């Protein structure tokens, strides 16, 4: 087995939506070298691997970020960090507008307004959301992508964050794992952090409704 040493300023483990977007952000707005590692292929990995038809995180006209905080907090039974929700909610629309500029098709009416499915939902043609993000990642000159690489252990000096798919989702018993999730979502990131001695926090509420969903 050949041993290869990869040096980078930032290592992002997981090329799902969050991993890709973080990589794009660092690629465009910082001089740091970035290594993005994914167990699958970043064009079809993560919880949006199969595409989605709605964005459930947009503040429509007549509403404000505080409305989203109330909605998400109520949905979580009150177990939520409202300060973090506010920080996220204030940036929701900017991210969605950015994705539209990158090629995501957001459906509009005859007047050019977004078609909403609810006051915080937008209708999209999102089957290509991951290919769009993968294309944008590969544009970054300070980013190297490593696919079909399964990270099993690491050393760290600060904090380790991220993983998915280890808790039962909130759906009927005959749907134990929703089909839009990539099958490679195993929770390995949690395992690595625990084995390395990382402090694992905020596990009392792992879901806040700031996500995309297939309806």
């Amino acid at each position: 087995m050949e041993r290869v040493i990869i040096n980078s300023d930032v290592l992002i483990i997981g090329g799902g939506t969050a991993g890709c977007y973080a990589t794009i952000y660092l690629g465009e707005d910082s001089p740091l070298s970035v290594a993005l590692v994914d167990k699958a292929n970043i064009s079809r990995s993560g919880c949006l691997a199969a595409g989605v038809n709605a964005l459930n995180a947009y503040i429509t006209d007549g509403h404000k970020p505080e409305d989203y905080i109330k909605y998400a907090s109520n949905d979580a039974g009150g177990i939520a960090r409202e300060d973090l929700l506010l920080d996220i909610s204030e940036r929701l629309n900017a991210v969605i507008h950015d994705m539209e500029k990158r090629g995501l098709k957001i459906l509009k009416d005859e007047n050019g307004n977004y078609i909403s499915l609810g006051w915080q939902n937008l209708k999209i043609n999102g089957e290509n959301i991951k290919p769009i993000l993968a294309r944008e990642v590969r544009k970054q000159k300070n980013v190297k992508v490593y696919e079909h690489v399964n990270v099993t252990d690491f050393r760290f000096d600060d904090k380790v964050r991220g993983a998915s798919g280890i808790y039962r989702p909130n759906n009927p018993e005959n749907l134990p794992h929703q089909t839009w999730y990539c099958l490679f979502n195993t929770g390995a990131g949690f395992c690595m952090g625990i084995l390395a001695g990382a402090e694992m926090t905020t596990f009392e509420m792992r879901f806040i409704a700031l996500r995309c969903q297939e309806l």
Side-chain angles (χ1 to χ4, degrees):
M1 180 181 296
E2 181 183 4
R3 181 177 182 180
V4 178
I5 297 176
I6 300 169
N7 293 308
S8 66
D9 296 316
V10 179
L11 169 64
I12 296 178
I13 302 175
T17 308
C20 282
Y21 204 86
T23 302
I24 295 166
Y25 179 83
L26 288 171
E28 292 179 340
D29 297 324
S30 81
L32 300 173
S33 61
V34 182
L36 174 62
V37 181
D38 193 83
K39 287 184 286 186
N41 183 304
I42 63 171
S43 294
R44 289 296 179 192
S45 62
C47 65
L48 301 189
V52 289
N53 67 356
L55 295 172
N56 289 357
Y58 187 80
I59 311 299
T60 55
D61 291 341
H63 294 87
K64 53 188 183 297
E66 287 77 10
D67 295 328
Y68 202 93
I69 294 173
K70 183 177 179 181
Y71 155 73
S73 182
N74 288 340
D75 192 62
I79 306 175
R81 284 278 304 275
E82 293 192 0
D83 57 332
L84 297 180
L85 277 172
L86 178 61
D87 190 51
I88 294 171
S89 299
E90 290 176 337
R91 294 166 171 79
L92 290 176
N93 290 15
V95 171
I96 289 175
H97 295 159
D98 180 65
M99 284 299 300
E100 184 178 27
K101 291 179 182 177
R102 297 180 190 277
L104 179 64
K105 179 67 173 179
I106 303 178
L107 302 188
K108 299 179 180 179
D109 61 22
E110 62 276 8
N111 297 317
N113 299 315
Y114 290 146
I115 297 176
S116 62
L117 298 171
W119 71 263
Q120 82 284 1
N121 302 67
L122 294 182
K123 191 172 183 180
I124 67 171
N125 287 342
E127 66 277 358
N128 62 344
I129 191 168
K130 278 310 307 291
I132 288 173
L133 288 168
R135 181 198 66 210
E136 296 297 299
V137 165
R138 298 185 195 281
K139 285 183 180 180
Q140 311 310 315
K141 298 188 182 304
N142 59 338
V143 171
K144 291 186 178 181
V145 178
Y146 301 89
E147 296 173 312
H148 305 290
V149 176
N150 190 1
V151 180
T152 60
D153 196 7
F154 46 59
R155 299 176 182 175
F156 70 98
D157 297 318
D158 185 15
K159 294 181 180 179
V160 180
R161 302 178 176 89
S164 64
I166 69 170
Y167 292 117
R168 182 183 299 277
N170 183 20
N171 56 34
E173 290 296 320
N174 62 338
L175 294 173
H177 203 65
Q178 296 284 14
T179 57
W180 62 76
Y181 284 104
C182 176
L183 296 178
F184 290 102
N185 285 6
T186 62
F190 282 136
C191 182
M192 285 186 288
I194 291 170
L195 292 176
E199 180 183 359
M200 312 300 278
T201 63
T202 66
F203 285 94
E204 67 278 3
M205 184 55 206
R206 67 105 186 177
F207 169 74
I208 294 295
L210 297 170
R211 60 180 175 83
C212 300
Q213 174 180 324
E214 186 175 23
L215 300 177

